Structures are given as structure tokens and as C-alpha cells.
Amino acid sequence: MTTRKYTRPLFVGGFQVGGDAPVSIQSMLSVKSSVHIAAERQIQALVAAGCEIIRFSVMDMDDAQAISYLKRKSSVPLIADIHFDHKLAIAAIQKGIDGLRINPGNIGSRSGVESLVAIARERQVPIRIGVNGGSLPKELLHKYGHSKEAMVEAALSHVKILEDLGYYEIKISVKASDIHLMLASYRELARRVNYPLHLGLTESGTMLNGSIKSAMALGILLEEGIGDTIRVSLSADPLQEVRVAKEILINLGLRKGLKIVSCPTCGRTRINLIELAEKVEKALESFTDRNLTIAVMGCAVNGPGEAREADFGVAGGSGEALLFAKGEIVAKVPEDRLLDELIKLIEGSEA
Amino acid sequence: MTTRKYTRPLFVGGFQVGGDAPVSIQSMLSVKSSVHIAAERQIQALVAAGCEIIRFSVMDMDDAQAISYLKRKSSVPLIADIHFDHKLAIAAIQKGIDGLRINPGNIGSRSGVESLVAIARERQVPIRIGVNGGSLPKELLHKYGHSKEAMVEAALSHVKILEDLGYYEIKISVKASDIHLMLASYRELARRVNYPLHLGLTESGTMLNGSIKSAMALGILLEEGIGDTIRVSLSADPLQEVRVAKEILINLGLRKGLKIVSCPTCGRTRINLIELAEKVEKALESFTDRNLTIAVMGCAVNGPGEAREADFGVAGGSGEALLFAKGEIVAKVPEDRLLDELIKLIEGSEA
């Protein structure tokens, strides 16, 4: 499989990112954090979906104040995303935030940054430097054009500010909405630094298209061994971001979970395979702690053979279906009992 | 961008695959080809969606007979997928098929293969050799395990049969449902041969998850320059396969088309961005012949700046929105007129 590039580990709250930690999943609140109940509900839904780090915008002192409340309600680390105001960042730390996403070069005066780094060091709060292809400094755009050089130099200029203050609890992201620019920027950055990288394709779009683009962009880098934590950005419910991120990691072998393989329908198919595959996927959603591959095949001829590598599977016929385990047929069942029997078979195998 | 590996071009009907041809999109009928009307309708829907080569199973002489009818009804090349029966393959060629997917090693006797290759040569019908991770020969599985070596040796053994007969109009696929096996097999094959490669992740699953997996698998190879024609296999309507394939190619810069970038919602968002992005995407579906990037942004603060690289864009406010072109604001419009004004702006730019 893939060898991951080794990065310097850091801790967001008690949660390790980088080093030998598995690639983690992040998402972002779509509600304002100062609306306590809505934010709390969204945090809990994200955690239930498998989100491991949650970020939110802190735009004013109300949002910063809300941190102490949300910290009590969250079982996962929280990160505050703050622009241009080191006082908000200091307030966020004082309220107990686990991590910051700020760019030291534009968060405030030199003395402001020094105060911020002093308290970040004292409270062990790591900082993500987040460069975005859409908001590069004019002088870098002028010097390099809209290129990986501009992206990486922007990131490294922020890094240098922290390093000059002796602070190394750093993660970096260089997000862009264009896949080629995003890939080139992360590859160059991975060559230049050993800080953990937060991967993201920004403004990737709507549910399906954004998932396709993010899967390509993140998948390409992760398969090369680049990336320590990921956020899939979608114009969709943040819960969907977590779902897509999980699917990416599971299928690259970077996380345990259920893989469903199912054949495309063809002239040979005699059952409603599309519906069956969707149903199997839904029925097995809760099996997240085991590495299982389940095959859902349209025909009994190729089914068991083609899914030999699957742990369990079903192959449809006319009205009845075959259940199989490791490529061997174990039962023939009527189609309407197929799901129950499959689940029974999987649960029985846990013992 | 990516440099594509040069492959020996071939022609499916008049349609070039490999060489300097753009990466093409294939799909497969989910209805039986001998059901003329259903097959004809599906072919026309696939063509309208952007499918460039259509394959279908030919399982019996009825299916082979249907080819002459379907050829008259199709504006794109048709490929017959045939197993274990060289007589069906010969019949398919006689009925006018443009390409075959067969494995010469198990299509029939030596003399049968010779007759088949003779008529394929005469009618200039290329052959795709399609190895599938789920149906590898027992002796190769025994020798190599379920590995890229088994996949590639299986493919090359079929290739050798055709080469020994002096026939080189060959495409190859080595599909698997596991991404790592699929990637390793195609990479090894690309190192060993210069025949055009047909990429696919087989049995990839349901609509969303299958799209995510296919986008990763195909995206990784295409970004490396491997792949001449692709099929996304989904347990879903074949039209969706074409939609996903287009999205993959457009976003890798391998095909013209519309890119929508849209931001994830955050605490700053004051409009229904998810709905707006979906609407913009739908409204602009027909703009397939231009390379346009449209940004759909949630806030007027970051919107125009972050989408500076987009050709056109909208940034939402409260009840009204900004329209911009190349990062410059060109109009402020009420939210309910936003779509119409955007389309007018884009259409006006064609003149």
C-alpha cells in the first residue's frame, strides 16, 4: 500500500495529528457558534457521523464567548477560524479552544502576534496556517502569478513568523479550487516542510460534483502519502462532508470500515440491483468498526466468483438470491429475506 | 498539467482511441440489446448525455442479430461484450459491430480464434482485452496470488494470442474493485505495453460511493497520464456513469466544460447557498462546449476575491446578490433574478 510521508506530530486537545496518527477527518460548522443550541446540535451530529475535529468561524466576541459552552458539549477537539484579529484569537484560547486556524502574517501587529504565540505556547494550542488560492497577497500574485510558488511562499512566510518566535506546533494547508494548482502546491509544500498537512480542495461545489472533485484531489495526494488530516468542502450539509471523507479514507485503506462493491447492471441482471445495493449500504451503515467488504452482485453466474475477495455477498437471481461468504455459497434465500439473512450472517461472524 | 503517455492509436468505427485523441467516455447498456426499442432509447439517452462509445452484452444470437438495427440508430460506435463464444463474436462483426470486448484465451478453439481475427482484420474491428480481478485464471491466482502480477500476466497472455496472429488493433483493461490492485495493475501494464488502456474500477458501488471511488481510481491514473478511454461503473442508471465521467475529465483539464466552484456554507453565509449552487449547476447544464468556471459564493466579502480566477460568479448577500466577471463586480441584483441575470451575462459573453 502507500507509505505515508512522516510529519512532526502535534496535538489538538489530546488528539494527535501527523506522525504515526491515522489521517483524521475534519468538518466545519455551518451555523454561527454563538447560537449555542444550533452549534451544539451540529457538533453532536458531526461527532456521531465520525467527524474527529470540528472547526468554526469566530467572527466576533460573542463567538469567542461561546467556546467555553461548546467545549463542555463536545467530545472532539474544537478549532477556531479567525481572520485579522489577534485579540479574538487570544480570547478563543482563554475560552479553552483546542486549536487555531490563523495566518500570523495578517492577524495583527508584531507585538500582537507575540502575545498570541505566548499564550498558545502556554496552553499548548497548535496553529494551522491556511493559505487559500483565492486570497493570495497581491505582491506574490504579481511575482509568481497564480501558481504553486505563490501558494507555498505565502504559507512559508507565515510559518517563518512562528518559527522566529520558536513556535513549531504548526499544521499547514494550501487549498485551491483548481485541482492542478492544489496538487502542485501540496506536493511542493510536502517537499519543503515536515509539518502535518491539512488537505482540502476549496469551493469544490455541490454534493455529487464536489464529492467527485474532492475524491480526486484528496485521493491523489493521500495515495502518494501526503496528508495528515482532511476536510472535504461541499456546498452541502457538513454531515455529508464527513460521509465523503470516510468513504475516501476507507477505500484507500487508510481507515477501517465497510466497503460495498456492487456490479453495474447489464443485460444479464434479473433483479433490481440498484435498489438492493442502496438498501444493503443503508442496512450496514452501523458496521463502522470492522474492515468488511460486502459484494452485491446482479447475477448468480459471475456473482460469487467476481466477488471472491469479498467477506460476504449476495448475488441476485429471479425472486431468490444467493448468500455467500468468502466466495462460497452458504445459502439460497427468497429475495424479500435477503437483507435480514445477510445481516444475520455478518453478525454471526463476529462471535 | 499532465503529460499523457503516448499509446498506439486505434479506431472504433471512425472514432479514435489512444494516440493524441482526447480521453473518451464509454458506458454500457443496462437493457438487453435484443429488446430493440429499449436499447435504442438507452443509446440515444447516453449519446445525449455525452457518451462517446457504447458497449452492450451479446449473450445470444438474438442479441447479435439486434446489432444491425442498433447500428442504424446509433450515432456513436458500438462495442459487443462477448464471453466464451467466438461464433457470437463473428456474428457481431458480420452484423456491423464497431468493436469487440473478448478475451481471446477463452473465446474458443485456436481455429475459432483464427477465423475471428481474420474477419476482425478484414472489417477493421478492434478488440479490447478485458481482465477482471474477480475472474482471474486459477493457475495465475495460484502462482501470484490476487495481485497485479496475476492481472497483467492474464492480460498479456491474451495479447500474445492476437500478436501471434499479427493483429495489433488492441485495447486493454485490467479492472478490479479494490483501488490499490486496480492502480498497481494499470501502472504495471502501462510500463509494459503501448496499447491504449481502457480504465475502470469494477463493481464500484452505488451512486455516491461508487462515484467517489471511481473518481479516486480513475483520477489518480489520469493525473499520471495513464488512460485513453474510461468507463465509470456504477450501480445506477448508465446516464449517471456518463455524468460522473465528464465531471472527472473536465476537472482534470482533459475535456472542455463547465466547472462550478462553490464555497461551503459557514457562519458567514446569509443566503441558501446549497440550493443556489444546485440551481446554477442545473441552469448551466447545457453549456458544455465552453471552458467556463462559475463561482457561487456565500458572502460578498470573500466572494469576488476568492473567485478571482472564475470567469463569472455570484456572491450572495441578504436578499440581493452580486454578479461578477473575472473578479470584478458588474451588477447588484435581487436574489430572485440572480439566475436569469447570470445566464444573460454568460450568453452575452459569447458574442
Side-chain angles (χ1 to χ4, degrees), chain B residues 131-319:
Chain B
V131 166
N132 188 313
S135 52
L136 288 167
K138 283 214 176 67
E139 61 279 14
L140 288 178
L141 284 172
H142 185 72
K143 188 169 170 193
Y144 294 113
H146 199 246
S147 65
K148 68 171 180 181
E149 288 78 12
M151 301 278 285
V152 171
E153 189 160 321
L156 295 181
S157 72
H158 295 298
V159 168
K160 188 167 185 313
I161 294 171
L162 297 182
E163 286 179 342
D164 284 350
L165 294 168
Y167 200 63
Y168 304 97
E169 307 309 313
I170 299 173
K171 275 179 296 173
I172 314 177
S173 63
V174 280
K175 300 187 185 182
S177 61
D178 176 81
I179 290 184
H180 287 289
L181 178 60
M182 180 270 199
L183 295 175
S185 301
Y186 275 104
R187 284 168 175 159
E188 177 67 11
L189 193 63
R191 218 175 54 77
R192 302 270 290 270
V193 302
N194 281 318
Y195 294 114
L197 300 186
H198 164 121
L199 303 186
L201 183 77
T202 194
E203 292 129 25
S204 76
T206 53
M207 184 63 211
L208 179 66
N209 288 350
S211 298
I212 291 169
K213 286 153 76 172
S214 294
M216 284 200 285
L218 275 55
I220 287 171
L221 291 171
L222 291 168
E223 206 265 340
E224 288 174 11
I226 295 174
D228 299 282
T229 181
I230 66 173
R231 182 204 177 187
V232 172
S233 298
L234 298 175
S235 299
D237 187 321
L239 294 181
Q240 300 292 351
E241 299 187 345
V242 175
R243 177 181 174 195
V244 174
K246 276 167 73 177
E247 194 67 20
I248 290 171
L249 294 178
I250 290 170
N251 283 288
L252 287 174
L254 292 168
R255 163 170 303 239
K256 275 192 193 166
L258 197 70
K259 292 186 211 178
I260 306 261
V261 303
S262 63
C263 68
T265 58
C266 74
R268 281 188 293 267
T269 316
R270 296 283 167 275
I271 56 162
N272 188 339
L273 186 91
I274 297 175
E275 193 185 302
L276 178 62
E278 299 275 3
K279 273 188 187 162
V280 169
E281 195 169 274
K282 190 120 198 86
L284 301 181
E285 245 173 17
S286 62
F287 289 79
T288 55
D289 57 338
R290 296 172 67 191
N291 261 334
L292 286 177
T293 301
I294 313 291
V296 183
M297 308 301 286
C299 74
V301 180
N302 291 335
E306 298 221 342
R308 193 179 296 119
E309 301 302 305
D311 297 292
F312 301 99
V314 299
S318 293

Side-chain angles (χ1 to χ4, degrees), chain A residues 40-61:
Chain A
E40 176 186 345
R41 280 201 190 131
Q42 199 167 41
I43 287 172
Q44 280 158 6
L46 282 167
V47 171
C51 188
E52 296 167 307
I53 298 177
I54 295 173
R55 178 165 55 109
F56 49 85
S57 283
V58 170
M59 291 186 288
D60 51 40
M61 279 297 171

Side-chain angles (χ1 to χ4, degrees), chain A residues 22 33 39 111 161 183 211 233-234 237 250 258 270 286 290 333:
Chain A
S33 53
S111 67
I161 294 171
L183 295 176
S211 299
S233 297
L234 298 175
D237 187 320
I250 290 170
L258 198 69
R270 296 283 167 274
S286 62
R290 296 172 67 191
V333 296

Side-chain angles (χ1 to χ4, degrees), chain A residues 1-2 28-32 57 59 83 132 134-135 141 146 177-180 183 187 203-209 211-213 215-216 219-220 223 231 233-237 241 243-244 247-248 251-253 259-268 273-274 277-278 281 297 305-306 308-309, chain B residues 1-2 28-32 57 59 83 132 134-135 141 146 177-180 183 187 203-209 211-213 215-216 219-220 223 231 233-237 241 243-244 247-248 251-253 259-268 273-274 277-278 281 297 305-306 308-309:
Chain A
M1 301 278 169
T2 308
M28 193 165 180
L29 297 189
S30 61
V31 299
K32 202 166 150 52
S57 283
M59 291 186 288
H83 291 265
N132 188 313
S135 52
L141 285 172
H146 199 247
S177 61
D178 176 79
I179 290 184
H180 288 290
L183 295 176
R187 284 168 175 159
E203 291 130 25
S204 76
T206 53
M207 184 63 211
L208 179 66
N209 288 350
S211 299
I212 291 169
K213 286 153 76 172
M216 286 200 284
I220 287 170
E223 205 265 339
R231 184 207 176 184
S233 297
L234 298 175
S235 298
D237 187 320
E241 299 187 346
R243 178 181 172 194
V244 174
E247 194 66 19
I248 290 172
N251 283 288
L252 287 174
K259 291 186 210 178
I260 305 263
V261 303
S262 62
C263 69
T265 57
C266 74
R268 280 190 293 269
L273 185 90
I274 297 175
E278 299 275 3
E281 195 169 277
M297 309 300 287
E306 298 221 344
R308 194 179 295 118
E309 301 302 306
Chain B
M1 301 280 170
T2 307
M28 192 165 181
L29 297 189
S30 61
V31 300
K32 202 164 149 55
S57 283
M59 290 186 289
H83 291 264
N132 188 313
S135 52
L141 284 172
H146 199 246
S177 61
D178 176 81
I179 290 184
H180 287 289
L183 295 175
R187 284 168 175 159
E203 292 129 25
S204 76
T206 53
M207 184 63 211
L208 179 66
N209 288 350
S211 298
I212 291 169
K213 286 153 76 172
M216 284 200 285
I220 287 171
E223 206 265 340
R231 182 204 177 187
S233 298
L234 298 175
S235 299
D237 187 321
E241 299 187 345
R243 177 181 174 195
V244 174
E247 194 67 20
I248 290 171
N251 283 288
L252 287 174
K259 292 186 211 178
I260 306 261
V261 303
S262 63
C263 68
T265 58
C266 74
R268 281 188 293 267
L273 186 91
I274 297 175
E278 299 275 3
E281 195 169 274
M297 308 301 286
E306 298 221 342
R308 193 179 296 119
E309 301 302 305

